[in-house]
Amino acid sequence: MDEKKPIMASNSGNMNYNSAPQYPVQYPGGQPAPQQGGYPGAPPQGQYPGAPPQGQYAGAPPQGQYPGAPQGQYPGAPPQGQNPGGPPQGQYQGGPPQGVGPESVQPQWQGEMPDQDVDDNPNAVPSAPSAPPLEKMDTVPGYQDTGFAGAMLPPPSYEEATRPPPQRDEISNLPRIGEEEARQALLAFVAENCCYGKSAAENLKFRDLLHSSAFHYTLETYGEGRCTSWTFTPYSGQPIDGPQNGQAPGPWDIQAQPTKLFEDQKVEVEVPHTASVKPCHNCMAMGRIRCHRCHGRGRVRCSSCSGRGHKTVYRNGEYEQERCTWCHGDGRRRCMTCHGMGMITCVCCQGYCSLKCFIKLTITWTNHLQDHIVERTALPDHLVRNVQGQVAFQEQQFRVWPINHFPDAEINNASQSIVQQHASAFPSEKLLMQRHQVRIIPVLQALYKWKDTESDFYVYGFDRKVYAPNYPQQCCCGCSIL
């Protein structure tokens, strides 16, 4: 007999376990030997340890009764006493065949498997289950084109009511930064840089202060997108809301509201009256699949001796062959993932043999933000995006009108362009709300002289940030720049 091949059960039901010694007729202490096919501490023949009573699957309610339903009656449930797509009555779901205990190492996988034992890989993981065949899904009115890959649904059309443009006040009192504020801001900037000397900041002479303002316009459009897709979960007896309870509502008829406007959010809900119970396609309603670690053989090649059954050791000045203590000289070991059964619990149905299939509605709220910065000095535009400024104008409406009254024409033109873009930029979303604003950021360009050096620096924002790329003391004494 080739010991590398899986050991299969004979027609008589007796098992051979790698030429293992037979149990003695009588155990020490006068204990009688177990009956044929048993082992010490084995449960009564025909019963799996820890399994439910014969004829009842694991975790099931009393026979003929479903949770939350009148006794013996459940909408869309299978006939009384029968698990949808499950094994024959009296057989444990996903467990070993009747009469085989958990200590047995005989592979039970009868399908395709390698001819030789495979290398042991404790990090092996089962492959992700595929989706059930789409043609097996029920036809739901209004969702005929729904698949397992979600697709965005266009929102219902609506007519925007004619509305007059709002009345807006003139903008005035632009903020400014003084000379003393500029010097203190530069000193704070120098203190944050360990290699900068502060002598220049303390003794420089201002030649001129050029005041200006940067403008930051932002438009936010808050939209809602919806998509539907078929999905599935293990069916363990939970309630099934199927077509027998009514017609499924349309994807845009289901009520849902974001918890807060202008924040990205996402929720997933089950579309009412679309659920059904289907046999698991991944395990053919058996509850178990081929083990991914041993590929169904129940045994793996011993990783300690690489399947040889012995090791070469150096002892007393000579090399000797020593029997492998891990596999006891066999060259292979029992798979620790399936415990020698060659099968594991189905990763798709979790051993329940059936799936609950339903249409899932995914609702996504997205805040689309677009901005425009007007800054006409050498100060980089992106620096003013996140500093504090004065909110000179802010407006929130279902649909906003472009700004047309701002003192700077470039802001008015930018508002007109961005508002028009957002009006048609998100065709698959329902626009819920818009808001836009203009912030004014004070900018001071300080021209100065220190010793023989003439240069400038910038102070901007209410938090008095400094931009001084040409500061004359960027390396103090004793500091070297690598």
Side-chain angles (χ1 to χ4, degrees):
M1 179 185 297
D2 186 359
E3 294 185 355
K4 303 303 180 181
K5 292 185 178 180
I7 304 170
M8 309 304 294
S10 64
N11 295 332
S12 61
N14 297 328
M15 295 181 293
N16 294 325
Y17 175 52
N18 194 30
S19 302
Q22 300 295 322
Y23 289 107
V25 176
Q26 189 169 2
Y27 290 106
Q31 230 177 359
Q35 297 179 359
Q36 184 178 2
Y39 53 89
Q45 187 172 5
Q47 184 174 346
Y48 184 78
Q54 188 172 3
Q56 184 175 350
Y57 60 89
Q63 187 173 5
Q65 182 175 351
Y66 284 80
Q71 186 173 5
Q73 183 179 355
Y74 180 76
Q80 185 172 4
Q82 182 178 348
N83 183 24
Q89 187 172 7
Q91 185 174 342
Y92 180 73
Q93 285 190 356
Q98 195 168 6
V100 180
E103 296 300 325
S104 171
V105 296
Q106 178 183 358
Q108 299 298 317
W109 173 255
Q110 303 298 327
E112 181 183 354
M113 68 177 71
D115 294 333
Q116 301 291 332
D117 290 325
V118 297
D119 292 331
D120 188 16
N121 181 14
N123 297 322
V125 294
S127 58
S130 61
L134 189 59
E135 59 270 14
K136 299 294 185 181
M137 299 296 101
D138 296 341
T139 301
V140 180
Y143 296 87
Q144 291 87 346
D145 297 331
T146 300
F148 283 95
M152 297 301 295
L153 304 171
S157 59
Y158 53 88
E159 295 294 335
E160 184 177 358
T162 302
R163 51 194 176 88
Q167 298 295 324
R168 294 160 174 169
D169 298 330
E170 294 295 330
I171 298 173
S172 58
N173 299 326
L174 300 181
R176 296 168 65 94
I177 299 174
E179 177 179 324
E180 186 60 29
E181 290 179 302
R183 188 182 298 275
Q184 293 301 322
L186 183 61
L187 287 171
F189 169 75
V190 170
E192 294 174 356
N193 295 271
C194 62
C195 293
Y196 282 21
K198 66 177 181 179
S199 176
E202 292 175 339
N203 301 314
L204 60 82
K205 301 297 183 181
F206 287 107
R207 296 188 299 111
D208 197 3
L209 299 177
L210 304 179
H211 296 276
S212 63
S213 295
F215 307 120
H216 184 204
Y217 172 79
T218 59
L219 171 65
E220 296 173 272
T221 298
Y222 197 56
E224 176 182 325
R226 298 192 174 196
C227 70
T228 57
S229 62
W230 279 102
T231 189
F232 56 93
T233 59
Y235 174 69
S236 58
Q238 65 266 37
I240 300 296
D241 181 14
Q244 69 277 359
N245 294 333
Q247 183 176 352
W252 287 97
D253 296 331
I254 299 175
Q255 298 298 318
Q257 296 293 334
T259 57
K260 189 175 181 180
L261 290 176
F262 302 105
E263 286 189 0
D264 292 350
Q265 301 174 51
K266 180 180 178 180
V267 297
E268 296 178 346
V269 297
E270 176 182 337
V271 177
H273 315 326
T274 62
S276 60
V277 177
K278 305 291 183 184
C280 179
H281 63 286
N282 193 53
C283 63
M284 299 301 181
M286 293 171 53
R288 295 175 74 79
I289 57 175
R290 185 176 72 164
C291 177
H292 55 276
R293 185 168 177 176
C294 66
H295 296 184
R297 293 183 60 84
R299 308 280 287 186
V300 292
R301 189 176 294 113
C302 179
S303 58
S304 179
C305 65
S306 300
R308 294 188 300 269
H310 60 270
K311 298 180 180 180
T312 302
V313 296
Y314 185 77
R315 184 182 295 117
N316 298 328
E318 295 182 356
Y319 288 98
E320 299 179 358
Q321 298 291 333
E322 184 180 79
R323 184 184 183 188
C324 179
T325 57
W326 278 52
C327 63
H328 304 289
D330 183 41
R332 56 180 182 169
R333 303 178 60 204
R334 183 173 66 169
C335 177
M336 300 305 296
T337 296
C338 65
H339 304 289
M341 297 299 297
M343 304 179 73
I344 60 171
T345 302
C346 177
V347 296
C348 187
C349 67
Q350 299 298 318
Y352 288 104
C353 305
S354 300
L355 300 173
K356 174 188 175 183
C357 300
F358 60 93
I359 295 178
K360 176 181 67 177
L361 173 65
T362 303
I363 306 175
T364 306
W365 291 283
T366 306
N367 187 41
H368 303 278
L369 186 146
Q370 191 172 351
D371 66 348
H372 183 83
I373 295 174
V374 176
E375 211 293 307
R376 297 185 174 91
T377 68
L379 181 70
D381 291 350
H382 69 274
L383 294 179
V384 305
R385 178 172 283 114
N386 298 316
V387 296
Q388 298 180 15
Q390 173 184 326
V391 178
F393 169 81
Q394 188 175 41
E395 194 173 72
Q396 176 176 317
Q397 291 184 11
F398 175 66
R399 295 290 182 274
V400 297
W401 281 86
I403 294 176
N404 55 9
H405 70 298
F406 199 75
D408 192 286
E410 186 175 345
I411 287 293
N412 295 331
N413 295 334
S415 175
Q416 178 74 28
S417 175
I418 296 176
V419 169
Q420 288 181 357
Q421 291 179 33
H422 280 220
S424 58
F426 319 107
S428 61
E429 296 184 15
K430 178 181 179 181
L431 304 187
L432 302 180
M433 191 67 65
Q434 286 185 320
R435 70 179 178 187
H436 58 169
Q437 70 173 14
V438 178
R439 294 189 310 122
I440 301 178
I441 294 90
V443 177
L444 173 66
Q445 181 182 9
L447 306 177
Y448 67 89
K449 181 178 181 180
W450 180 71
K451 295 183 178 180
D452 296 331
T453 302
E454 292 186 357
S455 187
D456 63 353
F457 66 92
Y458 295 86
V459 183
Y460 58 98
F462 285 177
D463 37 2
R464 301 300 185 253
K465 297 292 183 180
V466 172
Y467 177 68
N470 301 318
Y471 185 71
Q473 281 188 304
Q474 294 190 19
C475 181
C476 60
C477 297
C479 178
S480 61
I481 300 177
L482 298 180

